Amino acid sequence: MARTTIREEDITSGAVPTTGIVGTSVFTASGTWTKATREAALGVTIKRVIVEVQGAGGSGARSGTNGYYNGGSGGGYAKKLLDVSSISSSTITVGSGGAGRGGTGAGNAGGLSSWDDGTNTITGTGGKGGVYSSNGNTLGSSATGGDINITGQNGGTQGGGYNHGGDSFLGNGGVWNSISSANLGGKGYGSGGAPASSGNSQGTSGAGGAGIVIVTEIAG
């Protein structure tokens, strides 16, 4: 079982306000957001939350002798304001970035991230692995359930200097470098990894950026 990583931040260093934004819970691994636990920690009644869900990014492809190498795409992002007066907890899923590709072939997809409280499901789909083909980009992945749903950027296709991983709402895609053997992974959260080229004696393609779920807690 993966270890849950949560960073809880109170808005003030002294007394927590009794209305407005009072705290933030940041999930970088899957876990559970529990309202009673956060209320006890903050000393307030949480009425609403703003949920941000970012799916993980896909990794880039690695070419063989044919020169097919395309970047992984960015994961989907969703944001929603929720009334949690009748919600006690939510299951949080955080996707892992697609692992870099060491041998010839397509990149690996990123995992989805989500909030699921039994009534509301908010999902950021993981980015796609870089396409192992000379035709087309690696299409960005979508998000559902938010007030705002943003599709991740396409992973760049080969040629013309556009061999890059797709950006996400919370991250920048890795950039392919025809000289260096370092193939950069996605930066930030949810971004796609850069591809690799065996013709340039490059090794593993860039990994996708991990997903994240951010819960901003509102009292009053």
Side-chain angles (χ1 to χ4, degrees):
M1 180 178 294
R3 181 178 179 181
T4 300
T5 303
I6 307 174
R7 184 172 72 253
E8 298 173 341
E9 300 174 351
D10 297 340
I11 299 305
T12 63
S13 58
V16 176
T18 57
T19 60
I21 294 175
V22 292
T24 306
S25 296
V26 180
F27 291 80
T28 54
S30 300
T32 303
W33 180 83
T34 304
K35 183 171 68 171
T37 300
R38 292 299 288 147
E39 288 179 333
L42 296 169
V44 297
T45 299
I46 298 172
K47 296 294 184 64
R48 294 176 298 279
V49 295
I50 300 170
V51 179
E52 298 176 78
V53 174
Q54 174 67 68
S59 69
R62 186 177 187 277
S63 76
T65 57
N66 55 17
Y68 295 164
Y69 43 91
N70 299 290
S73 68
Y77 168 89
K79 183 175 183 178
K80 188 174 183 64
L81 174 65
L82 293 175
D83 185 329
V84 292
S85 298
S86 59
I87 293 171
S88 60
S89 64
S90 179
T91 299
I92 306 294
T93 301
V94 176
S96 299
R101 179 81 184 196
T104 299
N108 295 299
L112 69 80
S113 299
S114 66
W115 160 288
D116 186 355
D117 58 38
T119 301
N120 306 281
T121 302
I122 307 164
T123 301
T125 305
K128 300 175 180 65
V131 174
Y132 181 64
S133 169
S134 61
N135 299 317
N137 296 324
T138 307
L139 298 180
S141 291
S142 62
T144 59
D147 297 320
I148 300 171
N149 299 297
I150 299 176
T151 297
Q153 185 185 43
N154 294 350
T157 189
Q158 67 184 59
Y162 298 110
N163 300 310
H164 59 81
D167 293 343
S168 66
F169 188 76
L170 295 177
N172 297 317
V175 179
W176 183 75
N177 186 325
S178 63
I179 299 173
S180 172
S181 61
N183 296 284
L184 301 181
K187 307 298 182 183
Y189 296 99
S191 50
S197 169
S198 61
N200 294 90
S201 299
Q202 295 175 318
T204 303
S205 68
I212 192 171
V213 175
I214 305 168
V215 184
T216 302
E217 297 135 350
I218 304 170

